[in-house]
Amino acid sequence: MKFLSLRLWLVAGLVAALSVEQALANEGKLLATGGVSSIEGSGGGGLVPWATTATYAEKNQWGVTANANFADVDDFQLGVQSVNFSYDNRIEVSFAKQRLGLNTIGGALKQDIFGVKVRVLGDLIYGDLPQFSLGLQHKRNQSFALPAAVGAHDDTGTDIYASVAKAWLAGPFDRTWVANYTLRATKANQLGLLGFGGDKNNDYSYMSEASVAMFLNRHWLVGAEYRQKPDNLGFVREYDWRDVFVGWFPNKSVALVVAYVDLKSVAGLPDQTGAYASLQISF
Amino acid sequence: MLSVKKALFGALLLLSVAPSSALSSELYQQLGKKAGIDQLMTTFVFAIAEDERVIEHFARVDIERFHQMISQHVCELVGGPCRYEGADMVEVHTGMAITRAEFNAIVENLIHAMEQEQVPLSAQNQLLAILAQFHGDIVGK
């Protein structure tokens, strides 16, 4: 029922976004330079937050995006709904609700994520300096019974990250390329869905996350991402995640990403590979 | 696992030394030489004229001269046998207070013009990369 209403809401939003086309003022950035929304609500790729601010808002403009992400791997289904506000191509505020359905084990894990990101210096496209941003993701687990039972310490946690992103208009093969590197300090187990800290390690870990992508033309982007993950729980080892993706940016109102994700072994269940899709509507 | 990370890091390094405009005279050919550039700039100027986001900046501009100067400048920048005789970009744009959004609007007009003139994507990207270098000379002056 909940998913049905979400779908209706998204369809309504999509129709609205397509009908207003590019009539809004808050679209000062170039097509696709707002990126999409990551699984934690922050503007980025799919698995990795980027230094870019979501939406097309340039200096003195504001923008809003509504997003839905969905991943379906062998034993789990991750659903994310998020909204993202940005102003001035400078600050981004996001809110995301995550739900991980445990098909094999039964039940679901949930958390809410409040995000903020500030572009500190540089620019994705222009000038010598790449775009450099700092961000926070404050996560509140809403289903802590299972995480507590497997050794997680806290039901809330805050990730801190620094991201650097750069686009090359005429990179290799005379195509436009974009790369992002994010360094994250985190205590989150499986994004925080399994709580924060644990019996094996209860300190912050510094994790590397990277994305590289190439525009086939103005509307189609192909790329890959890698996300290192901490390993705090004794009951089972946590693995790094990766994906390859295709993004479609038909106009500044809509972006669609599909990906093949490899989450390795999650909660002791091996070979978690599958499909990922993300839809973003910009207002 | 580690090797994937190394490969990604390698790819990032590779990207950071990507070539800029070493093949610029080839770019001049790809743009259709002088006649092609003139035609492209005509389409570009028409695109600007229809764009209410930026048209105010062109209200008192001699469009014929603007077309001549920008064609000449682009021809020179892409390695063609032209010499740009106009003022430098900082001087031209000082006092105009062009915003980042307006600069991007002009970039979009150029992209539309290049698509309309069926400029190959590789040539489009090379020209955009060359012109993007003037961002700092043009915006906020």
Side-chain angles (χ1 to χ4, degrees):
Chain A
M1 193 61 197
K2 201 174 165 193
F3 272 96
L4 183 69
S5 64
L6 167 70
R7 212 172 297 155
L8 283 172
W9 179 78
L10 275 171
V11 167
L14 189 64
V15 169
L18 286 171
S19 58
V20 296
E21 193 74 5
Q22 298 181 16
L24 295 172
N26 53 356
E27 50 175 36
K29 293 202 288 194
L30 295 173
L31 184 65
T33 55
V36 290
S37 286
S38 64
I39 49 172
E40 288 155 313
S42 307
L47 301 178
V48 180
W50 289 9
T52 50
T53 52
T55 86
Y56 289 102
E58 247 304 343
K59 205 167 172 55
N60 299 324
Q61 300 177 335
W62 61 274
V64 184
T65 66
N67 325 283
N69 313 46
F70 189 71
D72 187 10
V73 296
D74 292 62
D75 297 294
F76 303 94
Q77 286 176 326
L78 177 68
V80 187
Q81 302 145 55
S82 65
V83 287
N84 198 310
F85 301 85
S86 63
Y87 178 70
D88 206 30
N89 190 24
R90 175 66 68 184
I91 186 159
E92 176 195 292
V93 178
S94 59
F95 175 68
K97 285 188 91 69
Q98 287 183 335
R99 180 188 183 278
L100 184 73
L102 312 171
N103 304 352
T104 311
I105 303 163
L109 296 170
K110 296 175 192 171
Q111 71 170 340
D112 295 344
I113 305 174
F114 301 85
V116 60
K117 184 200 296 175
V118 177
R119 179 172 66 86
V120 177
L121 54 84
D123 187 86
L124 179 68
I125 298 175
Y126 304 117
D128 299 325
L129 287 173
Q131 184 155 329
F132 177 75
S133 299
L134 293 174
L136 288 179
Q137 290 175 344
H138 178 67
K139 303 173 172 182
R140 307 186 75 86
N141 193 297
Q142 305 294 318
S143 53
F144 194 59
L146 177 61
V150 297
H153 257 258
D154 299 302
D155 62 351
T156 64
T158 302
D159 292 359
I160 304 159
Y161 63 91
S163 294
V164 60
K166 176 74 183 163
W168 293 266
L169 290 167
F173 316 113
D174 286 327
R175 289 297 179 272
T176 299
W177 288 70
V178 59
N180 182 87
Y181 173 79
T182 295
L183 181 67
R184 180 197 302 257
T186 181
K187 293 173 89 168
N189 311 315
Q190 301 295 4
L191 311 177
L193 288 161
L194 277 180
F196 305 85
D199 50 341
K200 192 165 152 190
N201 174 45
N202 197 33
D203 295 323
Y204 270 97
S205 305
Y206 295 92
M207 297 288 117
S208 283
E209 305 174 9
S211 313
V212 179
M214 182 186 84
F215 282 91
L216 297 171
N217 58 31
R218 306 264 166 248
H219 302 284
W220 290 90
L221 178 69
V222 295
E225 294 189 302
Y226 192 90
R227 175 165 175 168
Q228 204 179 17
K229 313 240 317 307
D231 186 22
N232 300 331
L233 298 174
F235 95 106
V236 65
R237 190 183 148 192
E238 182 167 339
Y239 288 86
D240 297 352
W241 286 0
R242 70 192 80 189
D243 73 272
V244 289
F245 68 87
V246 178
W248 181 45
F249 299 84
N251 55 45
K252 289 188 185 177
S253 299
V254 181
L256 183 67
V257 175
V258 293
Y260 174 77
V261 293
D262 180 0
L263 309 183
K264 304 288 275 189
S265 171
V266 175
L269 298 169
D271 303 322
Q272 300 300 320
T273 60
Y276 167 87
S278 148
L279 174 67
Q280 169 171 289
I281 298 164
S282 300
F283 298 94
Chain B
M1 203 97 75
L2 198 66
S3 64
V4 174
K5 266 174 255 173
K6 275 185 183 158
L8 265 176
F9 185 66
L12 287 170
L13 275 181
L14 201 73
L15 283 169
S16 64
V17 294
S20 53
S21 60
L23 304 167
S24 40
S25 59
E26 194 179 310
L27 177 57
Y28 175 69
Q29 307 284 336
Q30 282 186 319
L31 291 172
K33 301 187 186 173
K34 212 166 170 315
I37 292 169
D38 276 3
Q39 175 59 43
L40 176 61
M41 290 303 122
T42 301
T43 308
F44 177 41
V45 168
F46 278 125
I48 292 171
E50 286 174 10
D51 187 347
E52 54 193 33
R53 296 174 297 178
V54 292
I55 192 61
E56 57 159 327
H57 288 299
F58 293 86
R60 285 188 298 277
V61 169
D62 176 347
I63 293 299
E64 214 160 297
R65 182 178 151 78
F66 172 68
H67 175 261
Q68 189 196 341
M69 286 296 114
I70 198 167
S71 301
Q72 208 175 64
H73 199 182
V74 167
C75 174
E76 182 186 82
L77 287 168
V78 300
C82 309
R83 214 172 73 82
Y84 173 57
E85 292 160 333
D88 75 53
M89 289 293 102
V90 176
E91 197 181 327
V92 170
H93 297 94
T94 295
M96 294 178 77
I98 291 171
T99 65
R100 294 170 51 94
E102 288 166 343
F103 186 92
N104 285 337
I106 294 288
V107 171
E108 287 174 357
N109 290 325
L110 179 60
I111 290 170
H112 291 317
M114 291 191 293
E115 284 172 349
Q116 206 175 319
E117 296 300 329
Q118 300 183 338
V119 174
L121 186 63
S122 58
Q124 288 187 24
N125 288 338
Q126 287 177 59
L127 182 56
L128 289 173
I130 290 168
L131 297 179
Q133 293 170 9
F134 291 103
H135 183 265
D137 292 346
I138 291 174
V139 169
K141 297 290 172 186

